[in-house]
Amino acid sequence: MKTVEVAVIGGGPAGMAAAAEAARRGASVALVEESATFGGKVLKTADCGLPLSPIEGYEKRTADRLLTDLHRHADRITLIPRHQVWHIQDGRVLELSPVGGAPVETRQVRCRRFIIATGAMERIRPFPGWTLPGVFPLGGLNSFVKHGILPGKRFVIAGSGPLLPVLAHTLIRAGGRIAALVQTTTHREMLRHVFPLMAGMDAFKLFQGIYYFGRMIRNRVPIYNGAAVSRVDGEERAESVRVIRLDRNGDPIPGTETEIDADAVAVGFGLIPCTDLTRLCGCREIYDELSGYWRTLRNSRMESSVDGVFVAGDGAAVKGYSAAALEGTLAGGAAALQLGYGGEDDSESAAVQKRLKKATRLGRALDQLSAPSSGLLHLISDETVICRCEEVRLKDLRQAADAGARDIHDLKRRTRTGMGQCQGRFCGQVINELLWNLLNRQAEDFPLRDVFTPRIPVKPCTLQDLLGNSK
Amino acid sequence: MDTADAVVIGGGVIGTAAAYYLSETGRKVTLIERNGIAAGTSSRCEGFILVNDKMPGYDARLGRLSQSLFPGLSEEIGFDIEWSPQGSLLLIESEEEMAVAEDFCGRLAAEGLAVQMLDRRRIHEIEPHLAEDIVGGMETATDGAVNPMALAQGLARAAQQRGAAIRTGAAVRDIRLTSPGKVDRIITDGPDILTPTVVNAAGIGAPEIGRMVGVEIPITPRQGQILVTERTFGLTRRKVMEFGYLMTKFEKEGYRRRVTPEMEANGVAFVLEPTGAGNFLIGSSRRFAGFDTATDPTVIRAIGERAVRFYPALARARLIRTYAGLRPYTPDHFPIISPTPVDGFFVAAGHEGNGITLSLITGKLTTQMIAGESPDIDLKPLRLDRFDSEIAHAR
C-alpha cells in the first residue's frame, strides 16, 4: 500500500497539470496512468516518421511543458504508469491492477483527496455495416496513422467534430486518398455556433481551423456538408459507402443516397466523458442535452458532489486539452488547499479561471457541434449490431421491448446488451434512445434516462492481477 | 379496480413459476412485481439446477422432483431457458474429505440419485485443468443449469399466454382483509386488485409483504458475491463446486477447511458455472450484510484465490464484472411453501441458494396447495408454523 496526500487518476493534460499543481503547493502526489507514457490521447506524439505539422508542433510543445512541470516537482510525485484503477474503496483507497502484463508497482494507493482525470472516449453511433472490417472510429484510425499504419487506400471520413479535418489532414500527409469528407454539420449550424467559436478562439486556434480546411481544399477533398454515412457494404470488408443527405433537423432524407467506393471508413461524432469512476464514486451527473452525454457536476474548484473527490478535464465535460490542463491546475490547487497547503494566490487562480472561461467557450461550442442528431438512429436496421460484445442486434432489442422490457436494465436482462467485455461502456450511450424509439410511446410515458449500474472491476483485469499480497 | 382468482406477488423465478402453474388450472392470475421480471435475486445468482448439494432425504427428493421438470421446459413453454445438462462435479481436497464424501454419495445413491464417486485418476482424466492435488470427486449426471433470467421471462410469458396478467413496475402498498382474517384486496400503485388468494413470492421482500397482514416470516437476506469472466477458453463444461461448499452451506459444526481467515469470515467456497454465453461465473460467498448489494475487494479476492486453488488456469481469466445477490435465508435452510393463519394468504419464499433449482416444484406445490390437490411431496417440512417457537422466542 502506498500512502499519499493526493492521488490523481489519469495522466493526460488534466491529470498532469493537477499532479504538478498539487505537488507545487507541497502535497505528496501519486499519478496513475494506464499507458506507459504521459500526455493522454491527444498529446501523444506521432511516431509515423512524418515531420511535425505546425499544429502538431504546438501540441508537442504543450505536452513538453506539462511534462516539464511534472518533473519540476518530481521529488513529491510518484508516477505509476501502466496501471489502472479497478475500484475505489471507501472513497480513499484506490485499488490498482497492472495493464498489459506490466510488473506490479503497487496494488493500493491510500490518499486523502483524489482527482479523477480519466478523459474522454469516442461516442459510438451504430449504423448498418459499422462492424465490418475496414470501418473505424475516427480516433481509432487516427491512432493507427499516428503509429505509421495506413489500413486502406481510399478513405471516407465521416461524422462531426474537430477531429474530422485533423484526421483527413493526417491521412493525406501519410499518402492516403480521401474519397469523401462527410460532415453532419450544415452551414446553418456552423453559423449558429460561429459567435461562441470566435469568442473562444485565440489567434492560434483560428489559424488551426483555417489551416486544416485550407489543406482540404488544396487537396480537392470532396466535402459533403449536412450528410451522414447511411451504410457501409462489402463482402469481407468495407467496399462501398452510402452517404445520405440530412434535413435541417438532422433527419435523413430518403432517396438522397450517393454511393462512394472506399476500402476504409472512419466515422465519429466527437467524444464523451469516461464516467466509470465518477459513477462508481457516486458523483452527481446530469444529462446534457446539447452535448448528448452525462456530465459530472462540479463547483468552480472542480470538486464533485462527493466531498474530496475532484474531477478535471474531458472526463467531466469535453472541452479539449487547453481547458483540461487549466481545470487540472485548479483541481490540484484546491485539493492541496483543503489539505492546508500554501496561501492561495487569488490573482493567480483568477487568471486561470479567466483563461478557463475562454477555453470552455470554444470547447463547448466544438463539443455541441459534434453531438449527433437523434435522427441518425433511424438509419439503424433490424440486423444492425448494437452491442458488439454480445452481438445484440436491433431486432433483439425490439423483441425485448415488444415482450415488455420497460427500462435499460430490463433490456440488459433480456438481451445481454451491456453484459460483455465493455460492460455497456459503448452501447450504453444510445440504449435509452433506442428503447424510446422502439417503445414508440408518448413523451410522458418514456422511462427515465438511465445508466447501467456501475460494477467492479471498473475495467477488465485478470484474477492474477487482483490477487497476491497487497504491496 | 381489477379482479383476480389469485395474485402472485414477486416476479422472480418463484413468482413466475407459481403464476405459470396456477394459470394452468384455469384460474385468472395476476402477477405483480414492483420492478421488472427477474430484477432481484433471480438476476444476481448462478443458474444451477442441482441435486448434488442437497441433504440426503427429503431435501434431495424435493430437489430431484424439481430437476426432473427442467429438461422438457423450453419445449413446453416455447421459450429457450438455456437448459444445459452437462452434469456436476464436487471436488474433494483431502483423504478425510473423501471419506465424508463417500458416505454422502452412498446416501444420495440410496435415494435413487445418479451419483458416483470418481477416483484421482478418473477425475484428472475428465478435468485436465484441475489442480494436481485434487484427490477425487463426486459426479451427478442429472445436474445442469439454466439462464435464470430466461427462465423467469419464459415462465412469465407462458403464464401470460394462458391468460395471466403480468404487472411490472407496480408495487404492493397494502393488503386488506375482510373480518375475520381473510384476504380481500391488494392495494397497489395502480388499480387495486380484488382477490381471495395471494401468493407471497417476494423472496427477500417476503417479510415486508407478510407484515401487511400480520404474518411474521423469518427470512433474512444473505449476501453472495459472484465474479464473471469474459468468454474464454473451454476450461470445463461441468458445473463444479468444492465439497466444502456443502459444508459451509449446511453450516456443519466441526468441519474445517484449510482456508484463509477472509474466506472463513465470508463463507467463501469455490463454485464454477460455465454459462450458455461462454462466460464463467465464479462463486461463492455467504454473509449477512442487510440489503447491501455492493461487492468488495476483500471478498472478490478471497473468491478469486479459492478458484485459482482448484483451477490454476483461472488466474489468467479476465474478470469483466462482479455482482452480489441477496439469498432469502431461513433458519433451517428449507423454503417456506405454506398456508398462513390468514385465510387465502400463502407463502412461497425463502429458498436461500436453491431458488432456481426449486423454482418449478415450488410453483407446482403452491398450485396444488391452493387447489386443495394432494401434493407431489409432503408439505409438512415446509410449513411456516415450523418456526412458531423461534418467532415467539425472538419476540
Side-chain angles (χ1 to χ4, degrees):
Chain A
M1 166 113 55
K2 168 116 195 121
T3 303
V4 292
E5 287 169 306
V6 178
V8 182
I9 309 162
M16 291 166 84
E21 180 64 12
R24 187 180 74 84
R25 303 276 186 115
S28 60
V29 177
L31 177 57
V32 187
E33 161 61 31
E34 283 182 10
S35 61
T37 55
F38 293 82
K41 287 196 192 82
V42 193
L43 299 180
K44 205 145 281 171
T45 328
D47 54 4
C48 54
L50 295 171
L52 295 181
S53 71
I55 288 154
E56 285 165 342
Y58 175 82
E59 288 173 352
K60 182 163 189 325
R61 284 194 297 281
T62 309
D64 288 346
R65 205 189 59 237
L66 285 165
L67 266 177
T68 312
D69 285 351
L70 204 57
H71 289 309
R72 188 170 296 142
H73 308 286
D75 53 330
R76 278 197 289 274
I77 302 177
T78 310
L79 297 179
I80 311 177
R82 299 182 74 188
H83 279 67
Q84 62 185 6
V85 174
W86 65 270
H87 185 38
I88 298 174
Q89 266 201 80
D90 307 323
R92 292 299 175 266
V93 178
L94 313 184
E95 300 277 348
L96 305 189
S97 67
V99 176
V104 177
E105 289 279 337
T106 177
R107 291 188 189 276
Q108 288 176 318
V109 173
R110 179 180 291 281
C111 59
R112 294 174 61 200
R113 298 287 183 276
F114 64 91
I115 300 168
I116 299 173
T118 44
M121 61 182 197
E122 294 196 62
R123 180 189 341 244
I124 303 299
R125 281 283 130 130
F127 58 87
W130 75 293
T131 52
L132 271 177
V135 182
F136 303 87
L138 277 184
L141 183 57
N142 203 37
S143 303
F144 270 126
V145 185
K146 271 190 173 181
H147 286 98
I149 302 162
L150 201 62
K153 292 195 180 75
R154 277 175 64 84
F155 293 84
V156 169
I157 312 296
S160 57
L163 192 55
L164 278 179
V166 177
L167 175 59
H169 175 246
T170 316
L171 278 172
I172 291 168
R173 288 199 309 142
R177 268 192 60 198
I178 314 275
L181 189 142
V182 184
Q183 295 199 95
T184 54
T185 321
T186 58
H187 294 297
R188 242 177 107 89
E189 278 179 285
M190 287 294 276
L191 277 177
R192 194 153 52 83
H193 287 277
V194 78
F195 288 110
L197 279 172
M198 295 301 283
M201 275 197 194
D202 49 37
F204 179 74
K205 295 280 177 190
L206 197 60
F207 161 71
Q208 193 171 342
I210 294 166
Y211 176 84
Y212 279 131
F213 276 97
R215 289 295 154 121
M216 296 303 106
I217 292 162
R218 208 171 78 187
N219 285 283
R220 300 212 167 79
V221 172
I223 298 178
Y224 296 74
N225 286 320
V229 167
S230 60
R231 62 180 300 133
V232 176
D233 292 294
E235 285 285 317
E236 300 277 307
R237 53 169 294 138
E239 289 167 12
S240 78
V241 180
R242 274 190 241 178
V243 172
I244 196 165
R245 278 180 48 209
L246 305 175
D247 66 16
R248 60 174 61 175
N249 298 319
D251 289 336
I253 307 172
T256 60
E257 279 180 319
T258 316
E259 198 167 328
I260 299 167
D261 283 344
D263 59 354
V265 189
V267 183
F269 298 93
L271 304 174
I272 64 166
C274 295
T275 51
D276 308 311
L277 289 175
T278 48
R279 268 179 205 164
L280 185 69
C281 293
C283 302
R284 275 184 58 195
E285 52 184 6
I286 56 160
Y287 190 79
D288 186 325
E289 295 284 349
L290 293 176
S291 299
Y293 55 65
W294 293 90
R295 171 158 74 78
T296 310
L297 294 177
R298 299 165 299 168
N299 64 16
S300 63
R301 299 302 186 82
M302 305 302 137
E303 192 168 10
S304 73
S305 61
V306 181
D307 286 347
V309 178
F310 296 80
V311 189
D314 286 357
V318 178
K319 305 174 186 174
Y321 61 84
S322 305
L326 295 167
E327 288 189 359
T329 303
L330 288 171
L337 187 70
Q338 284 190 2
L339 296 168
Y341 284 106
E344 161 109 312
D345 183 340
D346 281 345
S347 65
E348 208 174 293
S349 87
V352 175
Q353 291 281 10
K354 201 175 157 197
R355 282 164 62 206
L356 176 59
K357 205 170 163 188
K358 189 167 177 183
T360 297
R361 263 203 201 133
L362 175 66
R364 299 292 288 158
L366 287 172
D367 181 38
Q368 289 169 11
L369 264 177
S370 310
S373 68
S374 62
L376 292 183
L377 295 175
H378 297 304
L379 296 172
I380 300 174
S381 73
D382 253 10
E383 293 300 323
T384 307
V385 170
I386 307 298
C387 165
R388 288 184 88 146
C389 305
E390 295 290 324
E391 284 182 56
V392 180
R393 293 165 195 273
L394 184 67
K395 65 176 180 197
D396 303 320
L397 299 179
R398 184 190 305 285
Q399 225 169 37
D402 288 347
R406 42 181 290 279
D407 57 39
I408 65 169
H409 309 289
D410 206 346
L411 268 189
K412 180 177 176 177
R413 289 194 297 273
R414 288 172 197 256
T415 66
R416 302 188 61 83
T417 190
M419 281 197 192
Q421 185 87 350
C422 89
Q423 289 293 291
R425 212 165 281 124
F426 296 111
C427 62
Q429 302 166 19
V430 291
I431 215 82
N432 285 290
E433 283 85 348
L434 287 176
L435 180 62
W436 294 341
N437 283 352
L438 292 170
L439 290 178
N440 200 18
R441 289 197 291 184
Q442 296 302 309
E444 57 266 30
D445 282 348
F446 276 177
L448 292 180
R449 182 180 288 283
D450 207 349
V451 296
F452 290 133
T453 315
R455 303 254 191 233
I456 54 171
V458 168
K459 294 225 175 131
C461 48
T462 65
L463 270 180
Q464 67 193 0
D465 287 342
L466 301 187
L467 298 175
N469 299 320
S470 290
K471 213 168 156 185
Chain B
M1 176 78 69
D2 287 349
T3 60
D5 297 327
V7 172
V8 178
I9 301 172
V13 289
I14 304 296
T16 52
Y20 172 68
Y21 286 104
L22 269 170
S23 57
E24 194 178 22
T25 64
R27 282 176 172 72
K28 190 178 166 219
V29 178
T30 296
L31 183 146
I32 182 164
E33 156 63 46
R34 70 176 157 195
N35 203 319
I37 295 297
T41 307
S42 299
S43 61
R44 296 153 181 269
C45 54
E46 281 154 331
F48 289 137
I49 307 297
L50 300 181
V51 295
N52 76 354
D53 65 341
K54 307 290 178 280
M55 272 298 181
Y58 183 86
D59 195 12
R61 283 204 301 281
L62 184 67
R64 183 57 200 141
L65 268 178
S66 198
Q67 188 175 62
S68 65
L69 299 171
F70 278 92
L73 188 71
S74 290
E75 203 166 308
E76 186 181 317
I77 63 176
F79 193 99
D80 185 11
I81 61 163
E82 299 173 31
W83 164 249
S84 96
Q86 265 83 29
S88 73
L89 211 51
L90 286 176
L91 303 178
I92 294 158
E93 279 191 281
S94 65
E95 295 300 338
E96 302 95 282
E97 231 177 57
M98 194 74 176
V100 183
E102 271 166 352
D103 169 61
F104 178 77
C105 183
R107 286 158 64 205
L108 281 181
E111 301 280 350
L113 298 187
V115 289
Q116 59 164 334
M117 293 303 292
L118 304 177
D119 63 13
R120 191 177 194 129
R121 192 186 55 79
R122 180 71 187 137
I123 198 160
H124 289 281
E125 212 170 80
I126 63 168
E127 285 292 317
H129 296 289
L130 264 187
E132 277 174 23
D133 64 332
I134 299 304
V135 299
M138 185 187 99
E139 192 180 29
T140 309
T142 56
D143 282 351
V146 298
N147 173 345
M149 293 171 280
L151 174 64
Q153 301 289 1
L155 289 170
R157 201 187 73 153
Q160 217 166 3
Q161 284 165 351
R162 286 173 174 170
I166 308 290
R167 274 173 58 181
T168 55
V172 171
R173 294 286 165 227
D174 201 4
I175 300 169
R176 298 275 158 78
L177 306 180
T178 57
S179 54
K182 185 168 168 20
V183 169
D184 178 46
R185 70 188 60 198
I186 293 183
I187 312 298
T188 78
D189 285 349
D192 297 344
I193 311 167
L194 206 60
T195 184
T197 307
V198 170
V199 178
N200 178 1
I204 53 164
E208 190 188 329
I209 299 293
R211 277 193 291 276
M212 292 175 182
V213 292
V215 172
E216 282 287 318
I217 302 170
I219 289 176
T220 321
R222 195 178 192 193
Q223 191 208 57
Q225 302 190 16
I226 289 172
L227 282 49
V228 187
T229 73
E230 66 184 346
R231 293 177 178 182
T232 184
F233 52 93
L235 191 68
T236 179
R237 294 181 68 198
R238 296 178 178 80
K239 332 300 164 203
V240 184
M241 60 214 69
E242 61 168 297
F243 187 73
Y245 170 80
L246 266 62
M247 302 297 123
T248 51
K249 179 180 162 186
F250 300 138
E251 296 175 300
K252 199 166 162 87
E253 299 284 329
Y255 180 85
R256 280 277 167 272
R257 294 176 298 153
R258 269 167 297 188
V259 294
T260 64
E262 288 79 15
M263 292 175 190
E264 197 65 53
N266 294 293
V268 169
F270 173 61
V271 168
L272 184 69
E273 180 193 341
T275 69
N279 314 74
F280 284 92
L281 305 184
I282 308 173
S284 62
S285 70
R286 279 167 203 274
R287 67 174 181 190
F288 295 103
F291 285 82
D292 184 9
T293 54
T295 56
D296 67 84
T298 310
V299 178
I300 291 173
R301 286 203 173 97
I303 292 174
E305 200 178 328
R306 194 66 187 151
V308 171
R309 183 260 173 277
F310 288 96
Y311 283 91
L314 275 175
R316 296 194 306 276
R318 268 153 51 102
L319 284 193
I320 56 172
R321 73 173 167 273
T322 58
Y323 58 84
L326 301 171
R327 305 179 183 92
Y329 162 94
T330 65
D332 64 1
H333 307 284
F334 278 106
I336 303 163
I337 302 174
S338 174
T340 65
V342 174
D343 197 3
F345 188 77
F346 299 88
V347 180
H351 295 69
E352 201 181 347
N354 298 320
I356 313 300
T357 300
L358 297 181
S359 56
L360 295 182
I361 196 64
T362 301
K364 231 179 149 193
L365 291 171
T366 304
T367 302
Q368 289 163 344
M369 171 172 72
I370 289 168
E373 294 166 10
S374 73
D376 287 356
I377 192 167
D378 177 22
L379 286 176
K380 196 155 175 285
L382 308 180
R383 284 181 65 90
L384 177 63
D385 54 19
R386 70 185 191 267
F387 298 115
D388 277 357
S389 59
E390 279 174 65
I391 291 168
H393 187 74
R395 282 196 184 121

